Every structure is written in structure tokens, then in C-alpha cells.
Amino acid sequence: MNVLSIPTWMVHVSSVVEWTVAILFVWTYAQVSAKLYWRSLSWGMLPGLVSAMCACTWHFFDNPASLDWLVTLQASLTVIGNCTLCLAGWWIFRSSACQKTDH
């Protein structure tokens, strides 16, 4: 676990914690506001969280070549996560626009 400095580890770990808390906040907002379509954003954020966990895992084990597949998985999940966030944004926009025209 000596590949990254302590401050770099702090950034990595705090980013994972912050992303997790953000997912929970969005989910809670959906519940409290009764705008359940916001849950799509929470679901869309999950691939990004798993991507970050892949990066932390790879660094935790000192970046061994035997875990190079984690780098590929992390990159793939980043792309997938960007797409799911885009789709979630579209779904929220569409759902909120439909809700406005219903009144």
C-alpha cells in the first residue's frame, strides 16, 4: 500500500465516501420531494462509484500487473457511468417537463 502518498489516499478515499453520500442524498431528495424519477440519478451514479472502488483496489495492492484487468474495468465503468448519468439527466428533464404540463 506504499504506492500512493497519504494525502493522495485521503483524496481517493474521501472521493468514494463523498460519491456514496451524494447517491444517498439524491435518493433521499427523491423520497422527500415525491419526485421519484430522481432515483434514476442515484442508479446512474453507481457505475462511477464502482469505477472509483476499482481504482482504489488496484492502488491498495500496489498496482500489480496481475490486477491490470481492474484498470480496464475501471475505464469501462467510467464510460458506462458517464452514459448512465447522461440518461438519468435526460429522464429527469423529461419527467419534470411532463409533470409541469400535467398541471
Side-chain angles (χ1 to χ4, degrees):
M1 201 168 97
N2 58 7
V3 173
L4 301 180
S5 66
I6 297 296
T8 304
W9 269 114
M10 289 171 57
V11 169
H12 275 61
V13 172
S14 67
S15 295
V16 170
V17 171
E18 290 169 5
W19 199 250
T20 303
V21 170
I23 291 171
L24 294 173
F25 280 165
V26 170
W27 190 270
T28 302
Y29 174 75
Q31 294 292 111
V32 170
S33 68
K35 297 177 181 177
L36 299 182
Y37 51 86
W38 275 87
R39 287 181 180 174
S40 64
L41 184 59
S42 290
W43 288 109
M45 294 171 76
L46 287 177
L49 177 61
V50 177
S51 172
M53 290 176 170
C54 287
C56 288
T57 302
W58 189 62
H59 289 314
F60 182 80
F61 291 106
D62 293 333
N63 310 341
S66 62
L67 293 180
D68 279 350
W69 61 271
L70 273 175
V71 177
T72 304
L73 180 61
Q74 185 265 334
S76 300
L77 286 169
T78 298
V79 171
I80 292 167
N82 289 341
C83 293
T84 58
L85 285 173
C86 181
L87 289 171
W90 172 81
W91 182 255
I92 292 168
F93 173 77
R94 183 179 170 276
S95 298
S96 63
C98 289
Q99 199 173 50
K100 288 178 186 174
T101 59
D102 289 343
H103 289 104

